[in-house]
């Protein structure tokens, strides 16, 4: 029989549960930086797994030596990256930060005039199109300097983050066996094997995925760089690097990268003749980037997204599309790793379910 005391106790338990959930969510929000460090360290561990296994199995390194050697390797990579790219990025950032925004706006209006003259030849009233869209009224040229300054400040704060990430990564690599032993003590005996098998499979698949993604970015960067060097772009390294990083965002990233490359190419050529120099070179760069994306979309991405995580390309496309609609750009980036983890867990815990067996038959 339901009494008032039972109802009140149920309400109190529900309120207590909501309160606990709220406190936990607030705590996670407050330590979000630490969570990011842990996620980055975990990704680095997955990428480093082949190197760690080589050092331990082939060269007979101890866990500590293998972890230290891996961290040193990562540090050398970052130092090499800094020596190669950051001076170029900083020089361009300083130039943009010191730009006279009024002068930049004047130059933009000159470019707009050249565009108008060119399209008038083609019988298009560009001035009317711009006025109808009210584009000039919403353009804020000081935004570019603020954006560059925010990037510089972000880079200045990365030192502590890198130290923290490397410290956590060292112990993740060094004490993998200890973590597994401790997990066995904590996990319920009935599901221990399933959980450990899931972790092992996820570790294997995501290691393949992140290494493949890294190789894809390197290939795309080299191809972008070749395109920009062919057409004599002065900022080829910086533009190629930024556009390659944007490729992390599936499908949408390459479009943003191509647009960025076109804009930066036009800005770097301000002062030259628009119709005979700026426009043709920008079109050639865009065509070159589209060719690179065609190669990437038909060769690199199918191999990485489908073969590395054993999923059908259409399946990958749909999950990225759904994640993008639901969670935005962040959802698109984490869609494949998260989907892979869910599939592995479902297969371990519900292997006899017909839907699960169809979705996970390639795992």
């Amino acid at each position: 029989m339901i009494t008032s005391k039972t109802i009140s106790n149920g309400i109190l338990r529900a309120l207590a549960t909501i309160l606990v959930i709220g406190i936990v969510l607030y705590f996670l929000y407050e330590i979000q930086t630490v969570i990011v460090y842990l996620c980055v360290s975990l990704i680095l561990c997955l990428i480093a797994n082949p190197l760690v296994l080589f050092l331990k199995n082939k060269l007979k390194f101890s866990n500590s030596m293998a972890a230290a050697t891996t961290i040193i390797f990562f540090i050398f990579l970052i130092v090499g990256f800094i020596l190669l790219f950051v001076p170029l990025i900083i020089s361009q950032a300083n130039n943009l930060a010191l730009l006279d925004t009024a002068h930049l706006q004047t130059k933009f209006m000159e470019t707009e005039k050249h565009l108008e003259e060119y399209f008038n030849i083609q019988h298009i009233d560009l001035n009317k199109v711009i006025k109808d869209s009210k584009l000039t009224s919403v353009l804020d040229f000081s935004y570019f300097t603020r954006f560059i300054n925010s990037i510089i400040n972000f880079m200045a704060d990365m030192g502590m983050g890198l130290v923290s990430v490397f410290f956590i990564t060292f112990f993740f690599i060094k004490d993998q066996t200890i973590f597994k032993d401790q997990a066995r003590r904590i996990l319920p005996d009935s599901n221990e094997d399933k959980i450990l098998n899931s972790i092992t499979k996820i570790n294997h698949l995501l290691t393949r995925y992140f290494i493949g993604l890294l190789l894809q970015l390197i290939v795309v960067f080299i191809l972008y760089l070749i395109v920009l060097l062919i057409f004599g772009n002065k900022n080829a390294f910086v533009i190629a690097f930024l556009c390659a990083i944007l490729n992390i965002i599936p499908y949408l990233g390459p479009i943003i990268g191509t647009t960025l490359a076109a804009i930066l190419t036009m800005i770097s050529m301000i002062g030259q003749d628009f119709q005979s120099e700026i426009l043709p070179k920008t079109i050639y760069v865009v065509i070159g980037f589209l060719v690179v994306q065609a190669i990437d979309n038909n060769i690199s991405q199918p191999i990485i997204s489908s073969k590395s995580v054993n999923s059908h390309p259409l399946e990958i496309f749909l999950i990225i599309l759904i994640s993008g609609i639901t969670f935005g750009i962040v959802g698109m980036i984490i869609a494949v790793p998260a989907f892979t983890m869910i599939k592995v867990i479902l297969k371990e815990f519900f292997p006899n379910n017909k839907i699960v067996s169809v979705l996970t038959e390639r795992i």
Side-chain angles (χ1 to χ4, degrees):
M1 181 178 179
I2 299 177
T3 62
S4 58
K5 185 178 180 179
T6 304
I7 295 174
S8 62
N9 287 338
I11 294 173
L12 289 175
R13 282 196 297 270
L15 291 175
T17 302
I18 293 172
L19 179 63
V20 170
I21 293 173
I23 292 172
V24 170
L25 290 176
Y26 177 76
F27 177 72
L28 293 176
Y29 175 78
E30 289 295 320
I31 63 166
Q32 57 183 305
T33 302
V34 178
I35 295 173
V36 171
Y37 290 164
L38 289 171
C39 292
V40 172
S41 298
L42 182 59
I43 291 173
L44 288 178
C45 286
L46 293 172
I47 294 173
N49 260 341
L51 176 60
V52 173
L53 292 175
F54 173 79
L55 293 174
K56 291 168 66 174
N57 297 335
K58 300 295 183 180
L59 302 183
K60 306 301 180 184
F61 279 27
S62 65
N63 287 339
S64 298
M65 281 296 296
T69 304
T70 303
I71 296 300
I72 292 172
F73 174 73
F74 280 134
I75 291 173
F76 274 118
L77 283 180
I78 291 177
V79 170
F81 163 77
I82 292 173
L83 293 176
L84 187 59
F85 294 109
V86 169
L88 293 170
I89 295 174
I90 290 177
S91 64
Q92 296 304 315
N94 288 334
N95 290 336
L96 287 174
L98 296 173
L99 277 177
D100 182 352
T101 54
H103 178 68
L104 178 61
Q105 186 164 0
T106 301
K107 288 293 186 182
F108 177 81
M109 297 305 293
E110 290 178 3
T111 303
E112 179 188 335
K113 182 179 178 182
H114 290 312
L115 278 167
E116 183 180 347
E117 290 174 354
Y118 176 78
F119 283 104
N120 279 341
I121 296 173
Q122 307 299 325
H123 308 292
I124 298 174
D125 189 353
L126 186 62
N127 191 40
K128 184 177 183 302
V129 173
I130 292 175
K131 284 182 178 179
D132 290 343
S133 64
K134 298 181 181 179
L135 178 62
T136 54
S137 64
V138 298
L139 283 174
D140 181 7
F141 290 90
S142 63
Y143 169 79
F144 295 103
T145 55
R146 292 198 302 269
F147 176 70
I148 294 299
N149 287 329
S150 67
I151 292 177
I152 293 173
N153 292 332
F154 172 76
M155 292 177 66
D157 294 335
M158 284 185 63
M160 186 60 188
L162 284 174
V163 172
S164 302
V165 166
F166 283 141
F167 186 80
I168 297 169
T169 304
F170 173 79
F171 286 102
F172 274 2
I173 295 173
K174 173 180 174 291
D175 297 328
Q176 286 186 48
T177 305
I178 295 176
F179 292 150
K180 288 180 181 179
D181 291 339
Q182 291 176 343
R184 283 192 173 92
R185 297 177 186 176
I186 298 172
L187 296 174
D189 295 335
S190 58
N191 293 320
E192 179 182 320
D193 291 337
K194 293 179 179 179
I195 294 174
L196 292 177
N197 286 338
S198 297
I199 293 173
T200 301
K201 288 182 180 179
I202 289 170
N203 181 57
H204 173 68
L205 290 173
L206 292 188
T207 296
R208 291 172 56 185
Y209 174 75
F210 285 117
I211 291 176
L213 181 61
L214 185 62
L215 291 175
Q216 179 197 2
L217 295 182
I218 292 172
V219 171
V220 168
F221 165 73
I222 293 172
L223 293 176
Y224 280 162
L225 182 60
I226 291 172
V227 170
L228 293 169
L229 289 176
I230 287 174
F231 298 111
N233 196 299
K234 297 178 182 179
N235 305 315
F237 282 94
V238 175
I239 296 174
F241 174 73
L242 292 175
C243 294
I245 292 297
L246 286 169
N247 252 52
I248 293 175
I249 307 172
Y251 306 114
L252 185 61
I255 298 173
I256 299 174
T258 301
T259 305
L260 177 65
I263 293 172
L264 292 177
T265 299
M266 294 182 71
I267 289 176
S268 67
M269 298 178 66
I270 285 178
Q272 301 181 31
D273 183 71
F274 179 80
Q275 187 170 342
S276 62
E277 296 183 26
I278 297 179
L279 184 61
K281 184 175 285 189
T282 303
I283 292 175
Y284 294 149
V285 168
V286 170
I287 293 173
F289 271 50
L290 292 176
V291 171
V292 172
Q293 290 167 23
I295 295 172
D296 180 52
N297 291 335
N298 291 286
I299 298 176
S300 303
Q301 279 194 5
I303 292 174
I304 293 167
S305 298
S306 60
K307 292 189 177 180
S308 63
V309 295
N310 296 332
S311 297
H312 194 277
L314 179 59
E315 190 177 3
I316 294 296
F317 173 78
L318 291 176
I319 195 64
I320 290 174
L321 183 63
I322 293 170
S323 299
I325 294 172
T326 308
F327 302 107
I329 291 178
V330 175
M332 296 178 74
I333 295 173
I334 67 172
V336 175
F339 183 59
T340 302
M341 294 171 65
I342 292 171
K343 285 176 65 176
V344 170
I345 293 170
L346 288 175
K347 182 165 186 176
E348 283 296 325
F349 284 87
F350 308 101
N352 297 323
N353 185 282
K354 292 183 179 180
I355 297 176
V356 172
S357 62
V358 170
L359 290 174
T360 61
E361 62 181 353
R362 300 177 66 181
I363 294 180

